[in-house]
Amino acid sequence: MVGAPELISPKSPRVSAARRLAKRNFRGKERLFLAEGPQAVREAAGHGQTLVELFATVDAAERYADIMGEARAAGARVHLADEDVIADISTTVTPQGLVGVCRFLDVPFEEILAARPRLVAVLSNVRDPGNAGTVLRCADAAGADAVILTDASVDLYNPKSVRASVGSHFHLPVAVGVPVEQAVRGLKGVGVRILAADGAGEDDLDAELDKGTMGTPTAWIFGNEAWGLPEETRALADAVVRVPIHGRAESLNLATAAAVCLYASARAQRASSTR
């Protein structure tokens, strides 16, 4: 048994401070964000000194005793909380009993360039937080070296984005607030080829693979799902590439198209490295 909840009122100062992080302006001021659920909290606890504070119901503390131990070992303040308190902090309809308060994770764009990345996802004007988090998860799964969110994109720490990434926020470097022109200029400066993903692109992804041009360091620019990439952004790319539709579907959603493109590059790069 782990004992009785110590936090039983949503009016507690600790609870109020955590609840405010659901709002972007408070996140930016404190440079803290919420990570909910066992997967995200486990990743946060294993990511250096990222996890600052953890709120857990008694049931969750017993069920995820290993995560509680990792959180304490990481130096986080751990609180047992009443279920109503967790519900008050949580941004989900059905809370999973664990809510962590984490330090911001983003890194300077220059740090990404200095690492000489081979595969990068650039999110330009991506406004939907679920899309942003899912593309981040896809980039992580494909083995990308970094993700860049332009200055016109959604907040990396939006709770929906954090949930959609399922822990990938903690796995790879992410730069935020970078103008797309600066992102392209910097990446080209370190030898990265720029591909813009667009359903109306002149080049076909299959044809690019057949030509053998995708084994080099590559950054994919992904745009807003509703209106795609503006012409001025397309003009910055070395090629504008469409994912071929072989069936009768009208199009692919942003996250699916990003997964196809990133995996195609990852496979081409692996093949190139073994030649």
Side-chain angles (χ1 to χ4, degrees):
M1 298 294 291
V2 297
E6 61 184 273
L7 293 176
I8 60 174
S9 172
K11 295 182 180 180
S12 161
R14 300 283 356 126
V15 176
S16 298
R19 184 174 57 246
R20 285 197 296 267
L21 298 178
K23 297 181 179 180
R24 183 171 186 168
N25 59 330
F26 283 103
R27 290 196 297 271
K29 180 180 179 181
E30 302 294 334
R31 289 194 60 78
L32 297 171
F33 71 101
L34 297 177
E36 300 186 43
Q39 180 63 27
V41 172
R42 179 181 284 110
E43 297 292 346
H47 193 270
Q49 301 298 308
T50 297
L51 185 64
V52 175
E53 198 163 16
L54 175 61
F55 300 86
T57 64
V58 171
D59 180 66
E62 292 177 343
R63 185 181 308 170
Y64 304 111
D66 58 329
I67 298 177
M68 301 292 286
E70 290 173 20
R72 291 188 176 95
R77 299 188 298 272
V78 177
H79 309 287
L80 290 180
D82 185 85
E83 290 185 2
D84 289 342
V85 168
I86 295 296
D88 190 68
I89 300 172
S90 176
T91 60
T92 63
V93 176
T94 55
Q96 294 178 276
L98 294 176
V99 182
V101 175
C102 306
R103 293 185 175 92
F104 274 15
L105 300 162
D106 51 279
V107 302
F109 177 51
E110 293 73 19
E111 185 176 311
I112 289 174
L113 297 180
R116 298 281 173 165
R118 288 187 54 79
L119 184 57
V120 180
V122 180
L123 278 63
S124 178
N125 283 288
V126 175
R127 304 292 179 82
D128 182 87
N131 276 338
T134 304
V135 173
L136 179 56
R137 183 182 181 186
C138 291
D140 183 18
D145 299 300
V147 172
I148 298 166
L149 272 71
T150 69
D151 53 352
S153 288
V154 70
D155 177 19
L156 173 67
Y157 304 106
N158 181 289
K160 187 175 179 181
S161 176
V162 177
R163 289 196 301 274
S165 84
V166 197
S168 289
H169 269 65
F170 305 98
H171 292 170
L172 71 172
V174 182
V176 300
V178 184
V180 66
E181 297 86 355
Q182 179 185 344
V184 169
R185 184 171 60 250
L187 289 166
K188 284 186 174 182
V190 294
V192 177
R193 185 171 180 242
I194 309 298
L195 299 180
D198 194 293
E202 297 176 358
D203 298 302
D204 181 287
L205 180 61
D206 288 346
E208 286 287 317
L209 287 167
D210 291 342
K211 286 189 295 185
T213 57
M214 292 183 61
T216 59
T218 300
W220 283 95
I221 304 178
F222 303 108
N224 184 282
E225 184 165 317
W227 60 79
L229 292 169
E231 184 54 42
E232 56 268 28
T233 301
R234 290 161 54 102
L236 297 171
D238 295 302
V240 182
V241 182
R242 69 182 183 277
V243 176
I245 303 294
H246 300 301
R248 298 171 61 186
E250 184 272 332
S251 64
L252 296 174
N253 65 27
L254 173 62
T256 303
V260 171
C261 294
L262 291 166
Y263 267 91
S265 284
R267 182 175 181 179
Q269 290 178 357
R270 288 198 305 272
S272 177
S273 68
T274 59
R275 288 175 188 155

